Amino acid sequence: MAVTTVFKADHCAFFPLSICPCHRRAAPKAVAFARLPSARRLRLSLLCARRVYSAFVSSSGGTQLDSHEHKPQTTEATEALFIEPEQQKDGGQLRKRVFSGLAIGIGGGGVVVAGGWVFTVVVAVAVFAAAREYFELVRSQGMAAGMTPPPRYVSRACSVICALMPVLTAYFGHIDVSVTSSAFLVAMALICQRAIPRFSQLSSTVFGLFYCAYLPCFWVKLRCGLAAPALHTELGKYWPILLGGRAHWTVGLVATIISVSSIIAADTFAFLGGRAFGRTPLTSISPKKTLEGAFAGLIGCVVVAISLSRILSWPSSLLSASAFGILNFISSLFGDLTESMIKRDAGVKDSGSLIPGHGVAKRTVFVVELLSCLFTCVWLALHHGSLESGGVLDRLDSYLFTGALCYSFVKFALPVFGV
């Protein structure tokens, strides 16, 4: 009986005597050798730069394996041992994205349904982390080469201000005074600094307040401010009395669920569609995004928005649900592209890698600032009472513009055109 012998060779140099013509279907990184005078073939597959897996396979048909690591019965089974590292990496990234998406989706869904101060505090913590990443991007070497970044104490103070904005919005019910007051204090701090103030410092800081503080506050206004009950939602009939009963299902809750679900669907369908059919680049800002992926994301976003509108009975018309889905897709796409533009100017690939945490001092400062924000949130919650029903920057970029546009659509557009 013919025998197949598999062995592993490290740091060895092989010199092919001839290339086997019957092995042209091998993978691009697989090299085939014919070295023995008999009809045996020596096949090598290079899995990495310093490790080689090889197999002696008889050409007489049936094979039997002597190695205790792998037991292929045929040449095709032996070929299955050689898996490309890129395929393993892509599969690992996909699994990681799926599991992390499920975990974030389940946790985020519970926070959205809970609403009130739970939702507000979570938004404040997420905004704080996103603001830290933004100001670290501004201070990075790529962006700071063409401008003067704001002082570090101003960046830290702005991160705390950004985290307090959602809390102040929930407490007072509006955000106009908070934003204008914060912008004035930041401008005054920059002008009074010892060094010569620069306009680039003011512009990057004020944009950070708008991008990381003002825009996320609309999610609080959307979820907690629109307290009108969604009377046609059937789920409200079966909602437990201890959890708020039918009155818990407000227009703000339903609109937030549809909006968040539509954004998740848009990102997922765009990723899968671009991976399967992507050929045409969408924009030079983000080379990996394709026109085919964007079209798939649009379809997924609209389908999910219409499906949830049928389930939750809001909005009632098909046209309104479709317009709401299209609005969610456009705002999430341009929010993603805006963050990509900031990262490209900063010369980094992942904004999350810039979060301080590589030193004890930086970790201490980060924790102290975060605890101060949480303490303020808890203090306001205890003194104000329960609020009535009514890698971070990379994950939140699609949501930044969406909250403001969805709130404006629900508040002003739907009453005009009907729900």
Side-chain angles (χ1 to χ4, degrees), residues 34-57:
R35 186 178 184 87
L36 302 179
S38 62
R40 291 178 176 271
R41 299 191 304 273
L42 172 63
R43 188 168 62 255
L44 300 180
S45 179
L46 304 179
L47 292 182
C48 55
R50 301 180 64 84
R51 176 161 294 184
V52 180
Y53 288 90
S54 60
F56 288 103
V57 182

Side-chain angles (χ1 to χ4, degrees), residues 6-256:
V6 178
F7 66 91
K8 181 172 65 177
D10 286 334
H11 317 295
C12 296
F14 289 93
F15 299 92
L17 299 182
S18 63
I19 301 298
C20 180
C22 56
H23 194 65
R24 294 178 180 176
R25 294 184 301 171
K29 291 189 178 181
V31 184
F33 298 88
R35 186 178 184 87
L36 302 179
S38 62
R40 291 178 176 271
R41 299 191 304 273
L42 172 63
R43 188 168 62 255
L44 300 180
S45 179
L46 304 179
L47 292 182
C48 55
R50 301 180 64 84
R51 176 161 294 184
V52 180
Y53 288 90
S54 60
F56 288 103
V57 182
S58 174
S59 60
S60 1
T63 58
Q64 187 71 27
L65 182 68
D66 292 338
S67 171
H68 28 275
E69 291 186 3
H70 310 287
K71 295 186 178 181
Q73 298 300 323
T74 62
T75 301
E76 289 75 10
T78 306
E79 293 177 359
L81 295 175
F82 310 125
I83 303 174
E84 294 293 336
E86 291 80 2
Q87 296 176 356
Q88 292 179 343
K89 183 178 179 180
D90 292 342
Q93 289 180 349
L94 182 59
R95 286 193 299 270
K96 183 178 180 181
R97 179 177 292 224
V98 170
F99 287 129
S100 62
L102 288 176
I104 295 175
I106 294 174
V111 170
V112 169
V113 173
W117 283 107
V118 175
F119 181 80
T120 303
V121 170
V122 171
V123 171
V125 173
V127 165
F128 174 77
R132 292 283 293 182
E133 290 183 2
Y134 167 78
F135 285 106
E136 287 297 327
L137 284 172
V138 172
R139 298 186 61 86
S140 63
Q141 295 181 356
M143 191 175 294
M147 56 170 284
T148 303
R152 189 171 293 276
Y153 70 89
V154 174
S155 301
R156 291 172 177 170
C158 288
S159 300
V160 177
I161 292 174
C162 291
L164 293 179
M165 285 290 187
V167 181
L168 296 176
T169 302
Y171 188 82
F172 294 108
H174 54 79
I175 56 178
D176 299 334
V177 177
S178 302
V179 173
T180 53
S181 302
S182 301
F184 173 75
L185 292 176
V186 169
M188 189 170 59
L190 290 174
I191 292 176
C192 296
Q193 63 177 322
R194 293 182 178 180
I196 299 177
R198 301 291 183 182
F199 178 73
S200 59
Q201 296 176 324
L202 181 62
S203 59
S204 60
T205 306
V206 173
F207 178 77
L209 292 176
F210 168 79
Y211 188 64
C212 299
Y214 181 74
L215 292 178
C217 289
F218 281 96
W219 282 107
V220 177
K221 294 176 68 66
L222 178 66
R223 171 62 185 93
C224 306
L226 300 179
L231 300 177
H232 301 290
T233 301
E234 296 294 330
L235 290 178
K237 298 180 180 179
Y238 311 101
W239 196 250
I241 299 297
L242 295 177
L243 298 179
R246 189 183 185 92
H248 185 77
W249 286 85
T250 61
V251 173
L253 173 58
V254 175
T256 304

Side-chain angles (χ1 to χ4, degrees), residues 302 318-328 409:
V302 174
L318 180 63
L319 180 61
S320 298
S322 302
F324 194 56
I326 295 174
L327 180 67
N328 279 291
F409 181 81

Side-chain angles (χ1 to χ4, degrees), residues 344-356:
R344 178 172 288 272
D345 280 353
V348 299
K349 181 179 180 181
D350 183 11
S351 63
S353 61
L354 294 175
I355 296 180

